[in-house]
Amino acid sequence: MATLWIREYADIGQSSDGDQIPIAAEPGRDQTVTFTTSTASAAFAGTTRFIAFRASADFHYKVGETPVATTSSLKILSTELLFIGVQPGHKIAAVTG
């Protein structure tokens, strides 16, 4: 079994001048999913616009309302941390591979 760690973010950071900068604004909301076969997270919060995620093993992922990850889905190595934009209420599913 592998573990997927997810942090949800509502906003990106802002400089002291109010300009948006490409970093996530803490605090975030955390989720953890244990998976081997395709397993989906809980739905993202209504304010979530971005997520950061990584896993304890190489995995494939899919995001959507009812996602099912397969070994044909995009593969991410366990050494990577990925940031992506998402829609509130969607989920992320992961499968080992």
Side-chain angles (χ1 to χ4, degrees):
M1 292 189 129
T3 301
L4 179 68
W5 295 279
I6 307 158
R7 175 155 298 165
E8 301 179 37
Y9 295 102
D11 294 306
I12 59 173
Q14 291 188 344
S15 71
S16 58
D17 297 329
D19 296 326
Q20 291 186 332
I21 52 178
I23 59 172
E26 292 285 359
R29 177 178 173 255
D30 293 331
Q31 288 195 50
T32 304
V33 176
T34 302
F35 67 96
T36 301
T37 59
S38 184
T39 305
S41 67
F44 302 138
T47 56
T48 298
R49 299 292 186 271
F50 311 94
I51 61 170
F53 59 100
R54 69 171 300 171
S56 60
D58 295 354
F59 67 103
H60 301 263
Y61 82 94
K62 184 87 169 184
V63 175
E65 290 181 18
T66 54
V68 176
T70 69
T71 54
S72 296
S73 303
L74 184 62
K75 184 173 185 171
I76 304 297
L77 302 177
S78 64
T79 55
E80 296 181 65
L81 174 64
L82 194 64
F83 289 86
I84 62 171
V86 296
Q87 294 183 30
H90 278 191
K91 303 172 186 177
I92 184 170
V95 62
T96 54

